[in-house]
Amino acid sequence: MLPLKTFLLFFLTALAELIGCFLPLLWLQSRGPVWLLLPAALSLAVFVWLLSLHPAASGRVYAAYGGVYVATALGWLWLVDGIRPSPWDLAGVALVLAGSGVIMLAGRS
């Protein structure tokens, strides 16, 4: 059950990071009002808090999180930006998720 909980935590962290970066982008591109910076700041604060909940604050954990972030970002690309990922995007996501799994699940001595 721990890998599933860790994956869910990674996913929520990635979502908070994406929202916290997307909202200021809307404002910078004049596609949204300045008040979007407030929920963006809140989202980034949630992102930092979620990072503190990860199993260990180490390069290995953050490297594994990176794979889930890439997958979540491509989902965002499709659902929010309306751009369907290419087969190459999906192949890349499969590779980074496999790498994340190896990093997180490999036995350590």
Side-chain angles (χ1 to χ4, degrees):
M1 188 57 116
L2 184 59
L4 182 59
K5 284 177 133 178
T6 301
F7 177 82
L8 181 59
L9 182 58
F10 283 170
F11 174 73
L12 293 174
T13 303
L15 212 52
E17 185 176 3
L18 284 163
I19 291 168
C21 294
F22 181 73
L23 295 178
L25 178 66
L26 289 177
W27 173 69
L28 287 169
Q29 294 177 338
S30 299
R31 293 176 24 203
V34 70
W35 64 261
L36 285 179
L37 297 177
L38 292 174
L42 178 63
S43 185
L44 289 174
V46 169
F47 162 68
V48 171
W49 173 71
L50 288 169
L51 279 179
S52 74
L53 300 179
H54 287 247
S58 71
R60 183 174 287 133
V61 170
Y62 294 144
Y65 160 71
V68 176
Y69 176 84
V70 169
T72 305
L74 276 181
W76 182 278
L77 177 75
W78 193 358
L79 296 172
V80 176
D81 292 332
I83 300 170
R84 188 179 181 135
S86 73
W88 290 106
D89 293 330
L90 299 177
V93 165
L95 286 171
V96 298
L97 287 176
S100 291
V102 169
I103 291 169
M104 289 303 293
L105 302 174
R108 307 271 184 243
S109 54

